[in-house]
Amino acid sequence: MTPTKFDAIIVGSGPNGLAGAVRLAEAGASVLVMEGAETIGGGMRTEALTQPGFKHDVCSTVHPLALASPYFRQLDLSQHGVRWIHPPIPLAHPLDDGTAVRLERSVEATACRLGRDEKTYLRLMQPFLNEGMGFFDDLLGPLHLPGSPFAYARFGWIGFSSAERLARRFKTGPARALLAGLAAHSMLPLNASLTGAIGMVLALLAHQVGWPFSEGGSQKIAEALAGNLRANGGVIETGTWVEHIEALPQAKIYMLNTSARNAIAMVGERLTGRYRAQLQRYRYGPGVFKIDYALDGPIPWRALDCHRAGTLHLGGTFEEIAAAEQAVWAGKHPAQPFVLLTQPSRFDPERAPEGRHTAWAYCHVPHGSTSDMTAAIEAQIERFAPGFSDRILVRRTMTAVEMESYNPNYVGGDINGGVQDWRQFFSRPALRRVPYATSDPGIFLCSSATPPGGGVHGMCGYFAAEAARRQLDI
């Protein structure tokens, strides 16, 4: 029988909710995780979205941050059933001349294919790679005194600039295109501050840890965390949506793996007016339109390098990608969107029946969009893989609004949990000394609305748990 009183109750079983729960359980707290859906995972779910035998990751598939995460490294997810698959090439960015620029595990191998930009790329990346994993330990957390202050300061000086400004260092179109695709993950216009930093971090992750898949699907990561939690005495309940804190069992502290908006709905009357107003001012960014594919064969890429890449950036030149992202930020649906695509079954045969394949693609759209971007996305794929449409057995689409219906944390379809510009990078969701603590000492936030933001790394949950531990005195 489930106990009626816990030290801590966590609402939501995404990567941050589970990571925070594990951290508290390790420290000896009695922990209950409440999940509204029938399965755990949040952004780490794998389902048969199209046909039986095809395994699709509903949200995230590629997990460099899971390998870089200080807490996930400590837990060693591989000891709990996660097997990482590294495609031969982490990322390929096809171009209209039939070639592709490659982001490889080796920084030297990547640079040597950039022609006149070889030395520029090495000068940009190598100093931070020399810092090892400590560099990512500094990045993946709230504002603090870094362990490598000189490297951190150098990165801030370079990375605080926009991708547009950073691209001026490069002389060749392929190098600029590579940077554009990486920086566009920010879901910001490429002339915005910090887009350069986000692009650099993704490149550095590829060189330091790779861009791997979890064999069998991202659900395996959720199951590994859940297994660790249960081994430490934690309890998980699924299938119960929590609309208000009063519906929960009694606990000493509550941790909410929810958006700032949903936190207000759940606990608003327990918060001070000033703090509640700060949450209400929290800004959300563009959404995504996503397509999952069941295919009767591999995608027929024109560039050979694309066949060996786990992730593809489809958008052409820096200028094209910048124009598409600027249009989205202005509330428009670009005719030629920047498309992110993964093809995990190329490297993980568990994902599809023999001879068949899975893939997903998404593009950015205005916040709260209900528009169907299927034709625009598939035109971009066909541009670099003629004959792709003939391979489609079944497609399953999700608009930005449907993404939020699936996961309420994706407000307006924003999978980053809120705008990650300079105004909200370290002050999300409110400017506080401990950003995970609310105005109520018994309530904490642990979602991607807190530092370090979006991604499967669990660090929002870890730091929220550390703050909650001080409250619990454990």
Side-chain angles (χ1 to χ4, degrees):
M1 181 179 293
T2 302
T4 57
K5 184 174 181 179
F6 295 85
D7 291 322
I9 293 178
I10 291 83
V11 179
S13 69
N16 290 307
L18 288 174
V22 172
R23 184 70 187 115
L24 288 173
E26 285 178 326
S30 57
V31 176
L32 169 66
V33 174
M34 298 286 291
E35 169 56 50
E38 294 298 330
T39 58
I40 61 169
M44 305 179 295
R45 291 195 181 101
T46 304
E47 300 177 7
L49 298 177
T50 55
Q51 290 183 339
F54 289 85
K55 296 180 180 179
H56 302 275
D57 290 327
V58 185
C59 299
S60 61
T61 291
V62 186
H63 297 293
L65 286 170
L67 268 68
S69 165
Y71 188 48
F72 284 177
R73 297 201 316 266
Q74 177 184 323
L75 292 177
D76 191 2
L77 297 177
S78 63
Q79 296 298 312
H80 297 276
V82 176
R83 179 175 178 270
W84 297 112
I85 294 177
H86 289 270
I89 301 172
L91 167 72
H93 186 126
L95 303 171
D96 287 315
D97 63 1
T99 66
V101 57
R102 293 160 41 167
L103 180 65
E104 301 195 46
R105 288 292 301 274
S106 164
V107 66
E108 293 84 5
T110 301
C112 76
R113 292 176 175 273
L114 297 178
R116 291 182 295 158
D117 287 316
E118 177 180 3
K119 292 182 179 180
T120 300
Y121 189 83
L122 287 174
R123 283 196 300 268
L124 192 61
M125 299 292 169
Q126 195 65 63
F128 307 109
L129 294 173
N130 292 342
E131 296 294 322
M133 296 306 295
F135 176 70
F136 295 103
D137 294 351
D138 283 339
L139 288 179
L140 291 175
L143 192 62
H144 64 288
L145 183 64
S148 303
F150 294 109
Y152 202 69
R154 176 186 172 92
F155 183 78
W157 178 256
I158 297 172
F160 193 81
S161 65
S162 68
E164 184 177 81
R165 183 174 179 181
L166 193 60
R168 295 172 191 161
R169 295 172 176 242
F170 296 112
K171 301 179 179 67
T172 65
R176 289 165 51 83
L178 177 63
L179 174 62
L182 293 167
H185 281 252
S186 67
M187 301 175 73
L188 295 168
L190 300 194
N191 61 0
S193 297
L194 289 182
T195 52
I198 291 171
M200 283 184 62
V201 166
L202 288 171
L204 290 166
L205 284 166
H207 300 317
Q208 193 72 265
V209 299
W211 284 17
F213 306 136
S214 174
E215 183 180 56
S218 296
Q219 189 80 43
K220 298 289 187 179
I221 305 173
E223 292 170 0
L225 290 168
N228 191 307
L229 175 61
R230 292 186 178 107
N232 282 282
V235 179
I236 300 175
E237 292 187 6
T238 60
T240 302
W241 288 100
V242 178
E243 296 184 359
H244 196 275
I245 194 171
E246 296 300 327
L248 292 171
Q250 185 179 357
K252 295 177 182 176
I253 65 104
Y254 298 90
M255 284 192 359
L256 309 182
N257 185 19
T258 70
S259 69
R261 181 178 299 178
N262 288 334
I264 295 172
M266 194 175 298
V267 300
E269 71 277 7
R270 289 183 53 170
L271 306 175
T272 65
R274 179 180 179 183
Y275 181 73
R276 191 165 59 247
Q278 288 179 300
L279 295 188
Q280 290 169 339
R281 290 194 296 270
Y282 186 71
R283 294 172 298 122
Y284 298 92
V288 299
F289 178 90
K290 180 173 180 279
I291 310 176
D292 287 281
Y293 292 104
L295 306 172
D296 69 2
I299 299 175
W301 300 108
R302 190 163 62 240
L304 294 179
D305 286 337
C306 293
H307 295 269
R308 303 174 58 229
T311 303
L312 289 300
H313 285 171
L314 312 179
T317 66
F318 184 101
E319 290 73 19
E320 287 179 279
I321 295 171
E325 295 303 288
Q326 183 64 52
V328 171
W329 194 255
K332 302 174 183 177
H333 295 81
Q336 288 190 301
F338 169 61
V339 175
L340 296 95
L341 183 146
T342 68
Q343 46 184 9
S345 61
R346 284 269 192 167
F347 318 99
D348 181 3
E350 284 193 29
R351 303 285 185 126
E354 186 174 357
R356 307 300 196 200
H357 283 276
T358 63
W360 64 244
Y362 75 75
C363 70
H364 300 148
V365 293
H367 182 87
S369 169
T370 58
S371 293
D372 187 331
M373 297 292 287
T374 300
I377 286 176
E378 292 181 1
Q380 287 287 62
I381 301 174
E382 284 278 346
R383 173 181 172 185
F384 303 105
F388 166 75
S389 297
D390 296 333
R391 298 283 171 89
I392 300 172
L393 295 172
V394 180
R395 67 170 67 82
R396 195 257 201 181
T397 65
M398 292 180 74
T399 67
V401 167
E402 289 167 339
M403 289 292 289
E404 181 178 357
S405 296
Y406 167 76
N407 186 337
N409 281 359
Y410 301 153
V411 176
D414 180 355
I415 59 175
N416 274 339
V419 175
Q420 292 198 119
D421 60 5
W422 66 271
R423 290 168 57 193
Q424 288 192 167
F425 197 75
F426 290 113
S427 64
R428 49 198 298 132
L431 186 59
R432 296 175 65 83
R433 185 177 63 84
V434 180
Y436 315 95
T438 71
S439 59
D440 185 307
I443 298 174
F444 296 82
L445 292 180
C446 66
S447 70
S448 58
T450 61
V456 176
H457 45 66
M459 295 308 296
C460 307
Y462 171 84
F463 285 113
E466 290 297 280
R469 284 180 62 196
R470 291 190 287 273
Q471 182 67 22
L472 292 169
D473 194 25
I474 57 174

